Amino acid sequence: MVKTIDGKKVAAEVISECATELAELQARGIKPGLAVVLIGDDPASQVYVSSKVRKCAELGMHSEKIVLSKEATQEEVLKVVERLNHDDLIHGILVQSPPPPQIDEDAIIRAIDPSKDVDGFHPENVAKLALEDPTGFVACTPAGCMRLIEAAGVEANGAEVVVVGRSMIVGKPMALLLMARGADATVTVAHSRTKNLAEVCRRADILVAAVGRPEMITAEFVKDGATVIDVGINRVEDSSKAKGYRLCGDVAFDEVAAKCGQITPVPGGVGPMTIAMLIKNTIKAARLKS
Ligand code: GUN
């Protein structure tokens, strides 16, 4: 019997921990604040950014949403980041990815004060993750995946894990988290150039799909009884839906669910975890400043 890993439920647990921490901080006069910067009008990014800000409001945190036009220049974005770096009400800064093509995203990430980089994308925080230094910030999506694996009762220690995708947002930090002391997994990172991808994936006790290609991971990629974490959130055209599209993951859910042990759904799997971990990181940033 396949078990769906309920990301909404696990995210609610994380949010409840955050609420407790926030009450403690409030008693000490500390109110964690998050600034979210959106450049342009990508519909999916608009939805993500709004839900991040809404979650802060629900929890009584301070938040600021800054929307720049899709023609914004590099200098304009850098000016906003610089202002936020010096704003004492703001503990966390997030610039929604991907920005429009005229923006040099790496330079923007490097301009963010690493102590406010709640996305964990700044080189200093990536290095701290590699060094297993707990004072850094870990990228929210892979941190959320780790928490889901733990909540599902799946043992990473000594397990064969295959991460499909090598992005800076998910694949690379995910691999570092899994191989770190304490998690102790044996990690393979596969990507678009990997030979015999299906065969490599079939070795996995835990398979993490972060490729951004709708339903690419089919049953032939999955070992019987494996745990499957689907990081993809893809919009695919579907004229039968009112919005004209449906959301699907990188995993062909029905056929993989028939074969694997546990699987995260899309939506309702990794997605809700990302926001929960962002709130956790913002609280950590405020704590480290206090
Ligand atoms: N776009 C997709 N995921 C993320 C994320 O975790 N952080 C930011 N800043 N942009 C994203």
Side-chain angles (χ1 to χ4, degrees):
M1 173 64 189
V2 170
K3 278 194 273 170
T4 300
I5 303 171
D6 186 347
K8 280 193 210 154
K9 179 164 163 264
V10 184
E13 287 166 17
V14 175
I15 291 294
S16 153
E17 293 164 17
C18 289
T20 307
E21 281 194 76
L22 285 166
E24 278 168 30
L25 288 172
Q26 196 183 12
R28 291 166 47 203
I30 300 162
K31 188 175 192 171
L34 174 70
V36 184
V37 183
L38 172 65
I39 314 159
D41 52 10
D42 176 70
S45 291
Q46 282 174 335
V47 172
Y48 298 143
V49 162
S50 298
S51 45
K52 287 165 187 173
V53 172
R54 195 167 51 239
K55 187 55 79 181
C56 287
E58 272 171 36
L59 288 163
M61 291 166 63
H62 174 63
S63 67
E64 193 180 333
K65 177 171 147 184
I66 296 139
V67 182
L68 300 175
S69 86
K70 65 172 184 291
E71 286 91 26
T73 63
Q74 183 77 7
E75 288 65 35
E76 283 174 89
V77 183
L78 286 172
K79 224 168 123 185
V80 168
V81 168
E82 203 47 39
R83 171 174 74 74
L84 296 169
N85 279 344
H86 292 100
D87 184 340
D88 290 340
L89 297 177
I90 296 297
H91 301 92
I93 303 170
L94 177 151
V95 180
Q96 186 66 25
S97 181
Q102 75 277 16
I103 300 298
D104 175 352
E105 189 174 19
D106 283 347
I108 302 294
I109 289 168
R110 282 166 168 77
I112 295 172
D113 177 341
S115 71
K116 295 191 176 189
D117 168 40
V118 286
D119 254 331
F121 295 168
H122 189 284
E124 188 172 311
N125 286 313
V126 177
K128 283 185 172 180
L129 172 59
L131 294 165
E132 301 181 22
D133 175 341
T135 66
F137 294 99
V138 176
C140 303
T141 302
C145 293
M146 291 303 288
R147 180 80 185 232
L148 282 178
I149 291 169
E150 197 185 306
V154 176
E155 189 55 81
N157 188 318
E160 288 270 356
V161 184
V162 177
V163 178
V164 193
R166 55 180 158 181
S167 70
M168 287 308 302
I169 295 188
V170 187
K172 275 190 199 138
M174 188 75 212
L176 287 167
L177 284 168
L178 285 159
M179 75 173 84
R181 268 160 278 258
D184 299 311
T186 301
V187 185
T188 301
V189 180
H191 46 77
S192 52
R193 296 295 176 95
T194 299
K195 281 188 199 147
N196 306 322
L197 181 61
E199 192 183 314
V200 171
C201 290
R202 274 199 304 274
R203 294 208 299 259
D205 301 310
I206 302 171
L207 181 63
V208 181
V211 268
R213 303 228 336 241
E215 297 172 338
M216 191 198 113
I217 304 295
T218 53
E220 65 157 337
F221 289 67
V222 180
K223 176 162 83 175
D224 276 337
T227 300
V228 180
I229 307 292
D230 187 353
V231 182
I233 304 181
N234 308 292
R235 287 185 177 200
V236 293
E237 268 185 45
D238 186 339
S239 54
S240 74
K241 303 281 180 201
K243 288 181 177 166
Y245 67 88
R246 68 183 169 91
L247 286 183
C248 73
D250 292 347
V251 177
F253 186 87
D254 291 342
E255 63 180 86
V256 169
K259 196 175 183 193
C260 69
Q262 299 196 66
I263 183 167
T264 61
V266 178
V270 174
M273 294 303 294
T274 299
I275 295 184
M277 300 322 271
L278 174 66
I279 300 293
K280 225 178 169 42
N281 273 351
T282 306
I283 293 171
K284 178 177 177 179
R287 262 192 202 291
L288 288 172
K289 283 276 158 69
S290 69

